[in-house]
Amino acid sequence: MVIVITGPTCVGKTKMSVELAHILDGEVVNADSTQVYKEMNIATAKVSEEEKENIPHHLFDIKDISDDYSIYDYQQDARFIINDILKRGKIPILVGGTGLYIKAALYNYQFIEEEKKYDYSTYSNSELYQELLKVDPNTDIHMNNRKRVERALNYYKNNKVPMSSKEHSSELMYDDVLFIGLTTDRSILYDKINARVDNMVDNGLLDEAFKIYSSGIRSKAVLTPIGYKELFPYFEHKKELYECLDDIKKNSRHYAKRQYTFFNNQLPIKWFYADYNYFNKTIDDVLNYIKNS
């Protein structure tokens, strides 16, 4: 059995995954594209050593922020880890909010290793999207999902065919996979997102972000997560701190909306309402579902 714990940012995936791992003799496999990188802990809400509670966690902190790490790379790494956990008689618990990572790991997708990556830093989101439409007018990628737009352009330039023409398989690589999603009311989720950003500041976000800003590295790893690039204008004295923090909160809320859209359209998820006043009840509900499936 493979268990997937997913849902929007800030919904409680980490706690659920650790609790299930204790009860089911499982190991956690990261499915968040930002948490594979070292030095990015606070803004990515990466699980802490204390939160791990001695449960093995895989594919966290495996790359430097200057490294490239593609969806192809993740697919190879995740499948190796999942197969190893299964061979040892334990349950892989895939946890994260990056839907494409989840699909790459579990479905029979054939990703071509990109031979060359191109620099699009001079393009705005709108300009970059127009370039994609020229070569792939059937794309279903949203204009503001810059990472996927860039990936689609790279795919075309390397393979001379549009990404939308690829055969996307609905065949799972594993016999028994349960997709579990945590959700809550949008107003509650947005309040939690706003509070988390404030807590991040209290826990040292500005120092972490300034260290990354001062490194001069502007890789995909640095520019993808929400919480670092939004603070760069503050460090450059172009914006007030409160404006940058508002941008982090706004972008996080928008990201949550995109996550819901992806999950609902792309994955066969069984949703569970997260009861934050009595989270053990939510855990029990999920366990009952797993045991009866």
Side-chain angles (χ1 to χ4, degrees):
M1 174 185 287
V2 178
I3 296 173
V4 177
I5 304 295
T6 193
T9 184
C10 207
V11 78
K13 299 183 292 291
T14 295
K15 182 173 177 58
M16 176 63 73
S17 65
V18 171
E19 292 297 327
L20 292 183
H22 278 302
I23 297 168
L24 301 174
D25 194 21
E27 299 186 10
V28 173
V29 182
N30 174 41
D32 185 298
S33 63
T34 65
Q35 296 190 12
V36 299
Y37 295 103
K38 304 172 186 176
E39 301 179 52
M40 293 183 161
N41 302 317
I42 298 173
T44 64
K46 188 181 297 173
V47 59
S48 67
E49 290 302 315
E50 182 179 1
E51 288 172 324
K52 289 178 183 178
E53 297 182 4
N54 296 318
I55 295 295
H57 280 63
H58 304 275
L59 300 183
F60 294 86
D61 295 321
I62 61 170
K63 305 299 291 185
D64 294 321
I65 60 174
S66 59
D67 293 335
D68 286 325
Y69 191 71
S70 68
I71 188 69
Y72 173 87
D73 297 323
Y74 176 79
Q75 183 183 63
Q76 306 307 303
D77 291 343
R79 289 182 179 177
F80 178 85
I81 294 293
I82 290 169
N83 292 334
D84 178 66
I85 294 171
L86 290 171
K87 287 177 183 177
R88 291 187 280 107
K90 296 180 179 293
I91 294 179
I93 302 175
L94 202 63
V95 182
T98 304
L100 195 58
Y101 268 31
I102 295 170
K103 296 200 74 171
L106 301 179
Y107 284 87
N108 188 23
Y109 283 173
Q110 298 299 317
F111 287 94
I112 299 174
E113 187 171 12
E114 293 175 355
E115 299 171 1
K116 182 178 179 182
K117 293 182 173 64
Y118 295 83
D119 180 15
Y120 304 106
S121 59
T122 60
Y123 290 83
S124 68
N125 283 8
S126 177
E127 291 168 339
L128 197 62
Y129 187 67
Q130 292 304 313
E131 291 299 308
L132 176 59
L133 289 178
K134 291 177 184 177
V135 299
D136 191 357
N138 295 319
T139 184
D140 61 357
I141 301 172
H142 192 279
M143 179 180 70
N144 291 330
N145 194 336
R146 188 179 182 93
K147 182 169 65 172
R148 289 194 65 205
V149 172
E150 290 186 1
R151 186 185 300 119
L153 279 169
N154 282 336
Y155 183 88
Y156 178 82
K157 291 181 178 181
N158 280 306
N159 301 289
K160 306 308 178 187
V161 293
M163 181 176 281
S164 64
S165 69
K166 289 199 307 179
E167 291 292 330
H168 282 183
S169 172
S170 59
E171 177 190 359
L172 282 165
M173 298 289 293
Y174 304 92
D175 293 333
D176 190 6
V177 182
L178 294 180
F179 294 86
I180 295 165
L182 296 182
T183 188
T184 187
D185 294 337
R186 293 293 176 97
S187 59
I188 295 175
L189 181 64
Y190 293 168
D191 286 345
K192 286 177 67 65
I193 288 172
N194 293 340
R196 174 189 270 183
V197 174
D198 293 335
N199 289 334
M200 286 177 174
V201 174
D202 293 339
N203 291 328
L205 174 61
L206 294 183
D207 289 339
E208 182 175 275
F210 186 71
K211 180 179 179 181
I212 292 171
Y213 170 80
S214 300
S215 72
I217 297 171
R218 299 296 181 265
S219 62
K220 181 179 73 173
V222 170
L223 298 178
T224 297
I226 299 169
Y228 299 115
K229 61 185 179 297
E230 289 86 356
L231 287 167
F232 290 179
Y234 171 67
F235 300 140
E236 295 167 352
H237 307 290
K238 295 178 180 178
K239 278 188 174 183
E240 297 293 332
L241 179 58
Y242 77 88
E243 296 177 289
C244 296
L245 295 180
D246 283 346
D247 287 340
I248 295 174
K249 294 173 182 178
K250 177 187 68 177
N251 291 344
S252 296
R253 295 192 298 268
H254 289 170
Y255 178 54
K257 289 180 182 178
R258 294 197 302 273
Q259 287 177 300
Y260 271 122
T261 299
F262 184 96
F263 298 144
N264 286 324
N265 292 331
Q266 299 284 334
L267 296 172
I269 292 177
K270 169 67 174 177
W271 290 100
F272 290 85
Y273 188 87
D275 184 347
Y276 298 112
N277 294 319
Y278 186 49
F279 199 70
N280 284 340
K281 181 182 183 305
T282 305
I283 294 170
D284 290 341
D285 290 343
V286 170
L287 279 170
N288 287 333
Y289 171 71
I290 293 171
K291 292 175 181 178
N292 293 321
S293 295

